Amino acid sequence: MEAVKESWKAKGYIDEPVPEGTDLKAAIRQLCKEKNAVILAHYYTEGDLQDIADFVGDSLALARQAARTEADIIVMCGVHFMAETNKILSPEKKVLIPDLNATCSLAESCPADAFAAFVKAHPDHKVISYVNTSAATKAVTDVVVTSGNAREIVESFPKEQKLIFGPDRNLGAYINSITGRDMLLWDGACHVHERFSTAKLVALMKEHPGAKVLVHPECKGPVVKLADVVGSTAALLKYAIQSEADTFLVVTESGILHEMQRRAPGKTFIPVPPDDSTCGCNECNYMRLITLKKVYNSLRYEWPEVHVSADIAAAAVKPIERMLDISARLGL
Ligand code: 13P
């Protein structure tokens, strides 16, 4: 590999031109073969990335996949905390994220130092962190959760155990409401889900009276209250495939529609826009930073690589493995 250029470092991704006439999808698959690399993609990424990925999933499935892959290189098409989780679970692998600017607003809403101080101020509380956190925040956590297992993991603690939940105040409030717990919530949120509110959703519900409303639990309480089903991206997808309904109002990042349409081609999926939207969709601008061209260059030059310092990784791996163990035990 040639030396990492200053211009790449300044940008956080590689902007080398792709040779004219290159079929990017074919070239990426060829590089994966030559380098024994796998591509993992979250449902919120662009459809063409989901199409070329070896594995597409929700946060829980992606963590599991990273723990079990035998590839030498993992290319994470998603946001930075996902690549960090991969690295923590597979420290001997090279983990690439095609654009270092692909951060997560929710993870950013929980700076590790401030969260550590909050934890220290409540020594009688166990600490539950959503997977959308930095490795350093996970390092001061007892158990990590995703939206696919948060309820069950919270319920695995004795009722009298005091709990801190961070960083998503909406997911935390939702879990409090369905478990009867009174977890202390960190005041963070996802900039995509936080934008949804009820006016456009209610109008669409009137327009499509038979439609089922699919809501991600990172949405605000009044939006969650209108849902037929609340769940992780994988849970919403599963419901859409299995349901007898034929029309669905989808209240989460609109990238998930790609897999919904692919897996349930005869059904109608309508992305619900946020009330302040003029374009009719709600996309995560960080997820959308990952493109085919950046994936190609990242694989070609094996950069940008994600690193996690040994001490942070040693502390962060424990709550992640605890989550994977509890989830496996509960059959989630
Ligand atoms: P899930 O895929 O676990 O539902 O999480 C969505 C998300 O917030 C990804 O950043």
Side-chain angles (χ1 to χ4, degrees):
M1 188 202 118
E2 68 182 88
V4 176
K5 294 183 181 166
E6 288 308 313
S7 66
W8 297 355
K9 281 196 221 160
K11 287 189 165 153
Y13 63 91
I14 302 170
D15 59 355
E16 298 296 307
V18 173
E20 200 157 330
T22 302
D23 173 346
L24 272 181
K25 289 186 176 179
I28 288 169
R29 290 311 322 166
Q30 181 60 28
L31 283 169
C32 283
K33 208 164 143 192
E34 283 165 20
K35 298 187 178 212
N36 190 25
V38 285
I39 299 178
L40 308 185
H42 189 269
Y43 292 124
Y44 292 163
T45 53
E46 295 286 352
D48 52 8
L49 295 170
Q50 297 185 43
D51 290 341
I52 53 135
D54 294 277
F55 183 83
V56 186
D58 71 349
S59 308
L60 177 59
L62 289 169
R64 282 191 172 128
Q65 200 62 27
R68 71 167 73 110
T69 183
E70 297 200 336
D72 296 315
I73 298 177
I74 298 173
V75 185
M76 185 66 233
C77 295
V79 288
H80 195 265
F81 78 80
M82 296 176 176
E84 272 190 342
T85 305
N86 296 344
K87 184 68 186 174
I88 292 165
L89 288 169
S90 287
E92 73 292 355
K93 318 256 185 234
K94 184 176 269 189
V95 176
L96 304 173
I97 183 153
D99 188 333
L100 281 170
N101 301 296
T103 57
C104 166
S105 59
L106 184 48
E108 299 288 317
S109 74
C110 190
D113 290 355
F115 192 66
F118 183 62
V119 167
K120 206 167 167 197
H122 301 91
D124 52 347
H125 286 60
K126 293 282 184 200
V127 183
I128 301 178
S129 287
Y130 196 33
V131 70
N132 299 41
T133 42
S134 67
T137 296
K138 289 184 178 79
V140 294
T141 291
D142 291 299
V143 58
V144 168
V145 297
T146 73
S147 49
N149 56 24
R151 176 189 193 144
E152 291 82 358
I153 290 183
V154 167
E155 285 180 330
S156 73
F157 284 93
K159 268 212 151 22
E160 57 284 2
Q161 174 63 57
K162 293 180 182 167
L163 299 171
I164 285 174
F165 187 94
D168 191 309
R169 60 173 173 258
N170 296 325
L171 176 63
Y174 171 67
I175 300 294
N176 272 343
S177 75
I178 57 174
T179 60
R181 303 284 170 130
D182 185 22
M183 298 186 293
L184 205 48
L185 306 182
W186 182 261
D187 192 17
C190 157
H191 77 305
V192 174
H193 291 95
E194 187 78 349
R195 276 182 75 202
F196 290 113
S197 51
T198 54
K200 286 194 178 163
L201 174 57
V202 169
L204 281 166
M205 288 167 78
K206 283 192 185 133
E207 220 178 291
H208 304 275
K212 296 290 181 193
V213 179
L214 313 180
V215 176
H216 197 280
E218 290 174 26
C219 293
K220 291 182 278 195
V223 176
V224 169
K225 278 207 176 80
L226 296 173
D228 288 296
V229 58
V230 182
S232 70
T233 49
L236 300 181
L237 178 64
K238 187 173 170 199
Y239 180 88
I241 294 166
Q242 292 179 348
S243 166
E244 288 187 356
D246 60 10
T247 305
F248 301 86
L249 302 176
V250 183
V251 197
T252 187
E253 213 274 359
S254 52
I256 185 71
L257 269 80
H258 181 75
E259 189 67 0
M260 287 177 169
Q261 279 153 351
R262 196 180 73 78
R263 302 278 301 277
K267 298 184 178 180
T268 302
F269 298 99
I270 301 168
V272 175
D275 287 351
D276 62 1
S277 161
T278 47
C279 74
C281 57
N282 195 359
E283 293 182 347
C284 172
N285 46 324
Y286 300 114
M287 289 275 182
R288 304 304 168 127
L289 289 175
I290 311 296
T291 62
L292 279 178
K293 184 180 166 194
K294 287 178 187 167
V295 171
Y296 170 77
N297 273 328
S298 182
L299 262 168
R300 191 167 157 207
Y301 298 101
E302 299 182 22
W303 192 88
E305 191 179 348
V306 172
H307 299 279
V308 180
S309 72
D311 55 333
I312 298 272
V317 75
K318 292 180 197 152
I320 300 172
E321 284 185 339
R322 222 165 270 144
M323 167 184 80
L324 294 175
D325 288 348
I326 298 173
S327 300
R329 187 155 37 83
L330 297 176
L332 299 169

